[in-house]
Amino acid sequence: DTEVTQTPKHLVMGMTNKKSLKCEQHMGHRAMYWYKQKAKKPPELMFVYSYEKLSINESVPSRFSPECPNSSLLNLHLHALQPEDSALYLCASSPLPGQATEGETQYFGPGTRLLVL
Amino acid sequence: TQLLEQSPQFLSIQEGENLTVYCNSSSVFSSLQWYRQEPGEGPVLLVTVVTGGEVKKLKRLTFQFGDARKDSSLHITAAQPGDTGLYLCAGATERGSTLGRLYFGRGTQLTVWP
């Protein structure tokens, strides 16, 4: 089973709202990732959690706040977003971050399509 | 600058034709993944290649990793409309120090017409 699940599938929010995106994997993977993807572009890395600790923050604005409650769950808290933040938000996980080749393979969830009005 | 140069960016072909997509770099990769993505969905892993010179086959898809682990290709034989999608290559450059970072090509949008 190589499934990563994400909820919700779609989200519409105003610029003053607070919402959260959720991601879950039960593959025992020790690294989890958040990506942002605009239409017809490759995914852009936002955050990496390795062994439940934040290891990479790609200078993401503070209106995006990640959280890793445990090794299976990853959240992305959203507050005061801008219309340009509208995008597909992807979660991914990999077995062994930065180690042993096949362990670097990332498995993506189906994404949350976010629209900020 | 793009670490992985992927070409072509767009490909529109008839059912039954063959095609090849290329990913090239001046950097060495410890592993390289190929994904296929449909609009509004997450990328689906097709293959991971890890050994220089490695060739992997997945039905009508053949993946090759260059001997020097700097480039890769995806060849599709007898393309079908169901192959339509965005194909992405992504590579990890080092183990340990760039923990978890994948470098993506710009993607190849493939359309196969019946």
Side-chain angles (χ1 to χ4, degrees):
Chain A
D1 181 16
T2 55
E3 189 178 29
V4 176
T5 59
Q6 289 186 244
T7 56
K9 189 158 178 62
H10 299 95
L11 180 61
V12 180
M13 59 187 292
M15 289 189 283
T16 58
N17 291 160
K18 284 186 181 181
K19 297 285 184 183
S20 295
L21 308 185
K22 296 185 184 302
C23 174
E24 192 166 3
Q25 57 88 13
H26 293 289
M27 297 177 279
H29 289 178
R30 303 315 305 271
M32 296 185 76
Y33 312 80
W34 281 115
Y35 287 87
K36 173 183 176 181
Q37 187 179 27
K38 293 280 199 180
K40 301 191 189 301
K41 300 287 187 184
E44 298 173 24
L45 184 65
M46 299 175 71
F47 302 104
V48 180
Y49 274 84
S50 177
Y51 297 97
E52 299 158 54
K53 291 190 182 340
L54 183 64
S55 59
I56 295 177
N57 177 341
E58 289 287 87
S59 302
V60 179
S62 60
R63 58 185 184 268
F64 295 91
S65 176
E67 179 195 20
C68 189
N70 60 56
S71 60
S72 301
L73 292 173
L74 188 65
N75 298 321
L76 186 62
H77 303 297
L78 315 173
H79 174 55
L81 294 193
Q82 304 296 310
E84 60 264 30
D85 296 322
S86 299
L88 182 68
Y89 287 84
L90 295 164
C91 174
S93 69
S94 64
L96 296 168
Q99 302 174 28
T101 55
E102 297 272 1
E104 297 166 333
T105 298
Q106 294 187 20
Y107 298 88
F108 285 83
T112 293
R113 180 162 294 282
L114 174 67
L115 178 62
V116 182
L117 300 176
Chain B
T1 57
Q2 194 78 9
L3 196 66
L4 261 175
E5 294 294 336
Q6 186 172 346
S7 62
Q9 190 175 354
F10 299 97
L11 203 48
S12 182
I13 61 173
Q14 291 293 127
E15 183 175 2
E17 293 184 23
N18 301 332
L19 65 111
T20 303
V21 179
Y22 300 93
C23 271
N24 297 295
S25 178
S26 57
S27 298
V28 176
F29 294 99
S30 56
S31 69
L32 194 141
Q33 285 84 47
W34 284 92
Y35 297 89
R36 178 170 161 266
Q37 186 177 23
E38 307 233 14
E41 300 289 331
V44 175
L45 178 71
L46 296 174
V47 79
T48 297
V49 286
V50 301
T51 305
E54 182 176 10
V55 176
K56 282 191 173 179
K57 289 183 186 289
L58 186 67
K59 296 184 181 177
R60 294 175 294 100
L61 278 59
T62 301
F63 304 87
Q64 197 157 5
F65 202 15
D67 290 342
R69 291 184 289 127
K70 294 182 178 181
D71 54 84
S72 182
S73 64
L74 157 61
H75 182 78
I76 301 180
T77 303
Q80 298 177 0
D83 296 326
T84 293
L86 179 68
Y87 289 80
L88 293 161
C89 62
T93 56
E94 299 176 34
R95 296 170 201 146
S97 61
T98 53
L99 217 62
R101 190 181 300 281
L102 271 189
Y103 295 89
F104 281 86
R106 290 189 193 277
T108 296
Q109 180 61 53
L110 172 65
T111 304
V112 183
W113 300 98

